[in-house]
Amino acid sequence: MKHIDIDARGYYGRFGGAYIPEMLHGNVEQLRRSYREMTADPKFREEFDLLLKDYVGRPSPLYYAERLSKHYGTQVYLKREDLNHTGAHKINNTIGQILLAERLGKKRIIAETGAGQHGVATATVCALKGLQCIVYMGEVDIARQAPNVARMKMLGAEVRPALSGSRTLKDATNEAIRDWINNPEDTHYIIGSVVGPHPYPDMVARFQSVISEETKWQLQEKIGRDYPDAVVACVGGGSNAAGAFYHYLNDERVRLVAVEAAGLGVDSGESAATSQLGTEGIIHGSRTLLMQTEDGQIVEPYSISAGLDYPGIGPLHAFLIDSNRAEAISVTDADALAAALFVARQEGIIPALETAHAFAALDQMEYSADDVIVVCLSGRGDKDLAAFSSYLDSEPLK
Amino acid sequence: MNRLSKLFADKPRDVLNVYFTAGYPALDSTVPVITALAESGADLIEIGMPYSDPMADGETIQRSSMQALSNGMTLKLLFEQIAEARRHTEVPLVLMGYYNQLMQYGPDRFVDKAAEAGVDGLILPDLPAYEYQRDFRDIAERAGLEISFLVTPQTTDERIREIAATSTGFMYVVSSSSITGGSAQISDRQRAYFDRIAALGLDNPKLIGFGISDARTFRTACEYFNGAIIGSAFIRALHGQDERVAEATREFVHGILAPVTA
C-alpha cells in the first residue's frame, strides 16, 4: 500500500496545506522550517521524554478491561490517557509545543479551547515554564465549562472570551489567530488539535504519537504481538485519534475507527458528524472536510461534547476517511451518555463525554472473540459531571 | 484594457481605494454605496464578500460581515448587485473574500460570474501564492481578473519580489502586522518598511492598507506609493446609516479628500 505521510507542502493527498494570510506567513514558515529539526534534536527528545515521564506520568497504562471484554465478547484494552496529569491526552502536545516555543525565543503563549481541556493543558505548561498565557474561549463555552475556566485562572492564565460568531470553539480559534497576527514577534500559538495550517497537523500528530508508540510495546508485552485488530478513538479535530493511529497508519492489519459526534442525530440539523455532513473546503488554514453552506459559510456544529463540536476535521483524518483507510462511525448524545454510565459501572472509570463516544461505537462494530480492540480513553469525565448528573436525574436507574 | 490597469496608467498617484462589506448595513446598500463612492471621488472600490470566518479581518469588518450574512447576503445576490451598479459607473471593482467561498461556488463559475457582472480584480488573502499558481491562476487569467497579493512588515525582500511577480493587480502593502482597523498613525517603523519596499524598485502599483482612517493618514500613505486603502473607518461611518447610506458615503469620502491643514 501507499505510505501515508505528509508531503513537503503539508498535504495528505489533497488535504492540508497552509491557506493563511501573509500576516501569518513569517511565524508559520518559521515553525515549518524548524519543527522537525528541533524535535529531532537529542536534547529536545531528552527533555520531552523526561517531562512526559515525571511530570505527565507516562507511560499511560494499557489496561485490559475484563468486564467490557466479556460484555462485548472480544478483547478490549483501554489506553489510559485519562490518567495523565491534567486528565487528558492534550498535555502530550502542549509539553512538546512549549519546548518548541522556548527554543524559538517566544515569551507569550496563546491558545484556543472548547471544553477547556486544551486550555488547562496550555495554562499548565506555561506555569511550568513561567511564560505568559492567554486562552481564547467562546463566551458560551466559558459558561458551560466553569470548572476548567477556574483551573486556567488558578494556573495564572488569562481567559479571554470570544464574543464573535457563535461564541464557541470555532470563534475562539479565529480570535487566537487574530491575536497572533497582531503579535507576530513575541507570541507562539499552541493549537490544540491536528488542525490549522501546515505544520500544525503533522506537528501535533507527532507529539501525540507517543500514544501508539507505547501501545505497540505494551501490546507486545501483554499479547505477544505489537498491533491490535482495531484502534477506536473519538474525533473532533482529531488529536487523540491521530496519536492513537499514528504508528499503525501504514499497518493494514489494524482497523482504524474514527468516532464522530452525531449530536441529536446525523440528519437532525444538530450534529457534528463532519465526515458525513462535511464537504471539501478550507477552515482555519487547512483544506479538509468541513460543515458549510452552499455559499461556503461555515456552519456551527452541535454536540453535547464541547470537545467534539468542531465544524472541521484534521486533514489527516479527512485523508484517512476519504481513502477508506479509516472508517467513520457516528454516535449520538444519548448513546454517548449511556456508554459513559455503562463504562463507569462496568470498569469503575468515568470517561470524558468525548471519550464516551468512542465507547458507544463498540455497539456499532463487528468483531470476533479473539479480536484485540484498543480504545483510546482520551480523558476523564470530571469536567462533565454536570451533564452526567442531569442524565442520572432523567434516566431511571437500572 | 482592464479597468484596474487603466486606472493606474491614468492616475499613478493619490489613488483612493475604499473597502466596504457587501450587504452592509442593509441588504440593498451595495448598489447605492458603490455609486456614491464612485461619484464622490473614490478611484477604486473593494467589495468585501461577507464570510463567516474572516481570518484576516479585524473586528469591525467581521461584525459587518455577520450583519450582512444575517441580512441575507449571498454570492448570487452580490453578482446581481454588482451588475446593477455597473450600469451606473465604470469605477474599477475588486472583490475581496476567502478562497473557501470560491471553492464552494466553483472557481470557474465564480470568475465567469464575476467578470460578467463587471468585476476587475480579486483579493483572496488566504490563498497563498503556491496554491494560487497550482489551482487558480489559469482560471483567473482566462476571465481577465487581476489578482492582488498582500505583503507585510514581516515579509522578506526575496518574498516581496516573488509576490510582486505573482501579483497581476496592485500590490497590497499591509502597513503593519495588525489586523484591519488598528492604529491611527504612521510610525517611524512603518516608514522604514515603506522605504524598504520602495528600494526594491518593483513595477507593480502599490496601495497601502490597514490603519488608514482619515485625510491625514491617507495623504501620508500617498507620499510613499500609488495610493491607499480605507476599510474599517468607512464601515464604522456606515454603522447605523441604513436609511442614508449614499449621503453617509459621500460625507465620508469628502472628509478623506478634504485638504489637510498642518
Side-chain angles (χ1 to χ4, degrees), chain B residues 175 185-197 220 223-224:
Chain B
S175 65
Q185 284 193 336
I186 290 175
S187 68
D188 290 347
R189 206 172 158 192
Q190 284 168 322
R191 287 174 199 275
Y193 155 64
F194 298 152
D195 288 340
R196 175 165 74 90
I197 294 174
T220 310
E223 288 169 19
Y224 288 87

Side-chain angles (χ1 to χ4, degrees), chain B residues 213-224:
Chain B
S213 58
D214 54 18
R216 186 178 302 274
T217 43
F218 175 66
R219 286 292 155 208
T220 310
C222 288
E223 288 169 19
Y224 288 87

Side-chain angles (χ1 to χ4, degrees), chain A residues 7-256:
Chain A
D7 71 17
R9 292 276 176 185
Y11 284 89
Y12 301 94
R14 63 182 191 278
F15 300 106
Y19 293 80
I20 49 167
E22 183 63 22
M23 293 85 91
L24 285 175
H25 177 83
N27 268 324
V28 170
E29 178 63 15
Q30 182 186 35
L31 267 186
R32 189 190 68 78
R33 279 198 315 265
S34 56
Y35 83 109
R36 285 205 186 189
E37 193 181 326
M38 277 189 185
T39 53
D41 175 27
K43 284 224 166 65
F44 183 99
R45 294 304 318 179
E46 197 181 313
E47 195 177 355
F48 183 60
D49 292 345
L50 190 69
L51 282 171
L52 287 187
K53 178 170 173 282
D54 292 344
Y55 188 71
V56 176
R58 301 202 74 92
S60 69
L62 183 71
Y63 162 70
Y64 175 63
E66 194 173 339
R67 296 187 70 200
L68 282 181
S69 296
K70 194 168 169 218
H71 174 82
Y72 286 109
T74 190
Q75 309 301 309
V76 179
Y77 287 83
L78 308 181
K79 183 59 176 158
R80 298 292 307 273
E81 295 300 302
D82 61 319
L83 294 177
N84 292 339
H85 178 44
T86 72
H89 69 288
K90 292 290 187 189
I91 190 95
N92 303 328
N93 168 46
T94 59
I95 293 267
Q97 286 204 46
I98 204 77
L99 296 181
L100 262 184
E102 241 186 351
R103 281 159 175 74
L104 292 169
K106 303 291 186 176
K107 303 288 179 225
R108 182 175 174 273
I109 301 295
I110 56 172
E112 85 297 336
T113 197
Q117 291 302 104
H118 173 59
V120 168
T122 303
T124 298
V125 297
C126 288
L128 179 69
K129 290 293 183 182
L131 296 176
Q132 186 190 357
C133 181
I134 293 152
V135 178
Y136 289 90
M137 188 170 186
E139 198 182 30
V140 169
D141 290 334
I142 287 178
R144 64 179 174 178
Q145 302 286 340
N148 274 341
V149 175
R151 290 167 83 193
M152 286 184 266
K153 289 182 177 167
M154 177 88 189
L155 292 161
E158 180 191 341
V159 180
R160 287 193 189 164
L163 304 172
S164 63
S166 53
R167 295 167 291 141
T168 58
L169 176 58
K170 161 177 96 72
D171 310 289
T173 308
N174 291 334
E175 293 297 323
I177 290 172
R178 189 168 292 151
D179 180 308
W180 209 20
I181 289 175
N182 281 323
N183 298 282
E185 280 160 20
D186 64 341
T187 299
H188 175 67
Y189 177 19
I190 300 190
I191 295 184
S193 192
V194 287
V195 302
H198 176 64
Y200 279 100
D202 184 49
M203 183 170 73
V204 176
R206 283 164 181 263
F207 288 140
Q208 292 293 358
S209 70
V210 65
I211 300 172
S212 49
E213 189 184 312
E214 290 172 2
T215 305
K216 285 186 82 167
W217 63 256
Q218 288 170 323
L219 277 177
Q220 184 68 44
E221 279 182 12
K222 287 180 195 301
I223 63 168
R225 61 174 162 105
D226 69 356
Y227 66 95
D229 296 288
V231 180
V232 183
C234 62
V235 174
S239 69
N240 90 83
F245 294 169
Y246 196 86
H247 289 284
Y248 298 118
L249 289 173
N250 295 300
D251 186 345
E252 287 215 325
R253 296 169 300 185
V254 183
R255 282 170 70 186
L256 305 177

